[in-house]
Amino acid sequence: MKSPSQKPLSSSSNIIFYITMLIIFHNTAGRTTRMPENETVPALIVFGDSIVDPGNNNNINTLIKCNFPPYGRDFIGGQPTGRFSNGRVPSDFLAELFGVKKILPAYLDPNLKLPDLLTGVSFASGGAGYDPLTAKIVSVLSLSDQIKMFKDYMKKIKTAIGEDRAATMLSKSIFIVCTGSDDIANTYFSTPFRRAHYDIQGYTDLMVRSATSFFREIYGLGARRIGVLSLPSIGCVPSQRTLGGGIQRGCSESANQAAILFNSKLSFQMASLNKRLPDARLVFLDIYKPLLDIIQNPAQYGFEVANKGCCGTGNIEVSILCNPLTHNTCTDASKYIFWDSYHPSEQAYKILAPVILEKHMKEFF
């Protein structure tokens, strides 16, 4: 018996497909980040953690949520969506910069329509990491869970536009992977589970092995253009300053050094994979230096506060600790590099996204 993906396309499916393609071509006309001529991106597909989770955690049983005020107060409509920020997050800005759409939805959003799927979604889950234990500790979607959702997504795409078109769409789409910070900040430094068995050299090796396996798996499923965000200067986020920065709340050097170590190993491994996987374009997107430069020189970027978040005291509040009852939340988040004690503000993302992408755009094509 034929599978649904082998059925001929209905006229309505054809119409939806071509309308979606027209939308893509229209959207590419006004972009500010330059892409090579005659190149278009049909969809942006994202995996990762809270930095790029637009609301998947809303629909799972976990405490790692933010679908309540003051989160989302500067988002379109002023409503919380499950994004761990006051407004848009990097997956949204990247989708816009690649000329796809302005808002990248969560795959678990119950209101998704076929055109939403055809132009891409995020499978990311706040609290996830390369280390499978990281997601398990806080009951969120691991990278393995996100792969399962991606396979389900592909079944829907193949049913709608057919096997061949789906394969072409995948090969030309941009895949973004953004995770690993929670491995370092939470699983390694904040719990005893891994430190009892690994020093930081061994733990970052474990992370890289898991990352490599993940990249290979999505490549095997059809991904070719894969952008991977490095770890940021995690020791300089407000919560890590509070927990590991001493009385003066300086940057936690141990966390920063762990991030640098992981990034060097990840970059090396991605270069190796590019040589071994035919047609693969794995692009290492360095976020460490650009974010650190903003933190060290806030006034140059229009910021006034670099060492604490906008929400509450800004020292420790994040997720359920940043809520409608949190006092002293700032009035203008655009003056703060960080929205809460762990996540940058929309304004910081708005500055960072084009800086990172402009430098590496041509490597995707």
Side-chain angles (χ1 to χ4, degrees):
M1 186 174 69
K2 290 186 177 181
S3 67
S5 59
Q6 294 174 308
K7 292 179 180 178
L9 281 173
S10 66
S11 59
S12 61
S13 294
N14 273 309
I15 291 169
I16 290 171
F17 176 77
Y18 289 120
I19 288 174
T20 303
M21 292 301 106
L22 284 172
I23 291 169
I24 293 168
F25 280 111
H26 173 75
N27 286 345
T28 58
R31 57 174 184 266
T32 56
T33 302
R34 294 179 183 177
M35 285 171 54
E37 290 185 12
N38 302 319
E39 290 286 358
T40 57
V41 175
L44 184 73
I45 297 168
V46 176
F47 302 92
D49 58 22
S50 58
I51 299 298
V52 287
D53 178 359
N56 284 310
N57 278 17
N58 297 353
N59 300 288
I60 63 174
N61 187 19
T62 179
L63 292 176
I64 312 301
K65 294 179 186 285
C66 60
N67 54 341
F68 42 77
Y71 285 96
R73 72 179 195 186
D74 299 310
F75 192 75
I76 301 163
Q79 296 296 316
T81 61
R83 287 170 170 81
F84 289 77
S85 185
N86 58 303
R88 291 200 288 165
V89 292
S91 44
D92 299 314
F93 286 111
L94 291 173
E96 185 174 24
L97 289 167
F98 276 114
V100 179
K101 52 188 174 185
K102 191 170 183 178
I103 300 298
L104 193 77
Y107 180 63
L108 295 182
D109 181 343
N111 298 313
L112 284 188
K113 303 290 192 296
L114 180 58
D116 299 318
L117 295 176
L118 288 171
T119 49
V121 294
S122 173
F123 300 97
S125 178
Y130 287 117
D131 181 355
L133 180 60
T134 300
K136 189 175 182 179
I137 290 171
V138 289
S139 300
V140 298
L141 301 168
S142 67
L143 289 182
S144 293
D145 294 325
Q146 293 177 38
I147 284 283
K148 290 176 184 176
M149 292 195 300
F150 174 64
K151 290 177 179 177
D152 182 64
Y153 163 84
M154 283 310 304
K155 288 180 182 177
K156 295 175 182 177
I157 296 299
K158 289 174 181 178
T159 299
I161 63 175
E163 293 269 0
D164 291 343
R165 286 178 181 170
T168 300
M169 170 193 155
L170 273 191
S171 67
K172 293 184 176 296
S173 294
I174 300 292
F175 287 72
I176 295 292
V177 183
C178 175
T179 193
S181 294
D182 291 321
D183 295 326
I184 297 294
N186 299 334
T187 303
Y188 192 77
F189 283 114
S190 298
T191 74
F193 303 122
R194 290 303 195 193
R195 276 181 294 140
H197 305 283
Y198 298 93
D199 60 12
I200 196 61
Q201 282 283 356
Y203 188 64
T204 50
D205 284 344
L206 180 153
M207 290 173 63
V208 170
R209 285 194 300 272
S210 178
T212 302
S213 176
F214 180 75
F215 303 153
R216 282 184 171 278
E217 188 163 8
I218 60 174
Y219 173 87
L221 293 171
R224 291 296 179 268
R225 300 167 172 176
I226 305 169
V228 184
L229 274 76
S230 75
L231 294 194
S233 42
I234 188 69
C236 295
V237 307
S239 64
Q240 300 309 299
R241 288 175 179 268
T242 302
L243 297 172
I247 297 175
Q248 299 298 320
R249 293 187 68 254
C251 295
S252 169
E253 284 307 311
S254 58
N256 276 352
Q257 288 304 312
I260 291 171
L261 179 62
F262 172 77
N263 288 342
S264 66
K265 293 179 179 180
L266 180 69
S267 178
F268 178 83
Q269 187 62 28
M270 287 174 61
S272 177
L273 285 174
N274 270 329
K275 294 176 182 178
R276 287 182 281 165
L277 301 178
D279 300 322
R281 291 185 176 272
L282 279 84
V283 182
F284 181 80
L285 302 172
D286 177 37
I287 188 70
Y288 189 98
K289 292 177 183 177
L291 178 58
L292 185 61
D293 188 58
I294 293 176
I295 291 170
Q296 292 175 337
N297 306 285
Q300 292 182 18
Y301 296 89
F303 295 108
E304 296 177 0
V305 183
N307 65 350
K308 64 179 183 177
C310 167
C311 190
T313 67
N315 294 335
I316 203 69
E317 294 91 342
V318 63
S319 188
I320 58 174
L321 297 179
C322 174
N323 58 61
L325 300 178
T326 304
H327 298 293
N328 302 321
T329 295
C330 76
T331 56
D332 186 358
S334 69
K335 301 300 182 184
Y336 286 68
I337 296 173
F338 293 95
W339 160 248
D340 58 24
S341 72
Y342 200 79
H343 304 96
S345 64
E346 179 185 54
Q347 182 62 20
Y349 290 141
K350 186 175 183 179
I351 292 170
L352 284 166
V355 168
I356 296 163
L357 200 54
E358 194 73 58
K359 183 178 179 182
H360 299 284
M361 177 65 84
K362 291 182 179 179
E363 296 175 44
F364 284 99
F365 301 98

